[in-house]
Amino acid sequence: MTDHVHDLRSVREATDRLLTAVAKLDNAALAEESHLPGWSRGHVLAHLARNADALVNVFEGRPMYESAGARDADIARDAGRPLEEHLADLRDSAARFLATTERDQDWSRTVELRNGITDLAANVPFRRWVEVDLHHVDLNIGYELSDLPEEFTGREIDFLADRWSGRPEVPAVALVATDGRSWRTGSAGDPAVTVSGTPSGLLAWLAGRGDKGASLSATGGPLPELPPL
């Protein structure tokens, strides 16, 4: 089983990194574009705060979000707030999430996430770590995919490679990282295409971030185009 205690410690560290970086911004910077199409930096921060509260709902047995429309409306409502309000909301929502994880509970139980997705409770802290660190990159404030902790990058590649496995619209692909690690993803069968590059480059492609595979090399065929996450 995933070590949720370790992952919660990583969530705290990632949250501290995020808060330190965001505190250096100003209101004008929050209104500027993030790396996510259609979202300002304020939208990203609002999403992170509301995601923390949504995961509290998950742990407490409620729907993660009231509805997709309510989720989007909450982000739109909060995106334009001044810096100090964003910082306070990020701190307070993170504290609520962590307080929920400190209660006695069955970490081996299955919980329901968004869109009917289920997972073990023990895996939710890593999901939150992904939200915090990957969206820190999305803010476009100098924290890059190559700055992510090595453990994070490897585990997120594991997760995304598994997510795209068995998908008939994605050809069978072998992934080879410059540090010697390897994965496979896509449809069943022996991979005809091998995609090689740095771990951060592979993550960029799998997550639809950064250069989206421009730094990778593909042999046996062109670099496949992945569906949106």
Side-chain angles (χ1 to χ4, degrees):
M1 182 180 293
T2 301
D3 185 351
H4 65 274
V5 174
H6 166 81
D7 288 346
L8 287 167
R9 185 163 55 248
S10 297
V11 169
R12 292 184 181 92
E13 293 169 354
T15 302
D16 287 345
R17 280 195 298 274
L18 174 73
L19 288 168
T20 298
V22 172
K24 298 175 183 177
L25 303 177
D26 57 26
N27 292 332
L30 292 184
E32 294 175 356
E33 292 184 357
S34 72
H35 283 314
L36 296 178
W39 272 17
S40 68
R41 293 184 178 117
H43 283 87
V44 176
L45 297 180
H47 164 63
L48 277 169
R50 299 290 67 78
N51 173 263
D53 285 336
L55 292 177
V56 171
N57 289 337
V58 168
F59 276 119
E60 296 183 349
R62 297 186 295 274
M64 186 169 179
Y65 294 101
E66 180 181 331
S67 67
R71 170 187 176 272
D72 294 344
D74 286 347
I75 293 170
R77 177 198 66 207
D78 295 341
R81 297 176 300 179
L83 176 64
E84 289 307 315
E85 290 186 27
H86 273 295
L87 286 170
D89 194 15
L90 286 167
R91 291 191 194 100
D92 293 346
S93 58
R96 288 191 292 270
F97 168 73
L98 291 171
T100 301
T101 67
E102 291 168 358
R103 300 171 190 164
D104 289 337
Q105 57 191 292
D106 177 10
W107 286 95
S108 66
R109 75 188 188 280
T110 298
V111 295
E112 185 170 344
L113 301 163
R114 189 182 174 204
N115 298 326
I117 294 172
T118 59
D119 203 351
L120 296 179
N123 292 334
V124 173
F126 180 67
R127 287 179 175 270
R128 177 59 183 173
W129 184 11
V130 170
E131 291 287 328
V132 176
D133 247 349
L134 207 53
H135 283 316
H136 189 168
V137 174
D138 291 333
L139 284 172
N140 188 22
I141 55 176
Y143 189 63
E144 306 294 341
L145 288 170
S146 57
D147 296 320
L148 292 167
E150 180 179 351
E151 177 200 353
F152 174 95
T153 300
R155 289 177 64 185
E156 183 61 356
I157 292 174
D158 288 342
F159 176 81
L160 292 173
D162 182 68
R163 177 169 182 161
W164 298 127
S165 291
R167 297 281 291 268
E169 71 273 33
V170 180
V173 177
L175 306 175
V176 179
T178 51
D179 63 6
R181 289 179 289 178
S182 62
W183 302 261
R184 65 145 297 154
T185 193
S187 55
D190 294 333
V193 178
T194 297
V195 176
S196 305
T198 64
S200 61
L202 293 172
L203 177 58
W205 176 63
L206 290 166
R209 255 77 172 186
D211 63 15
K212 298 182 182 179
S215 64
L216 303 176
S217 62
T219 58
L223 182 71
E225 184 174 344
L226 297 175
L229 280 174

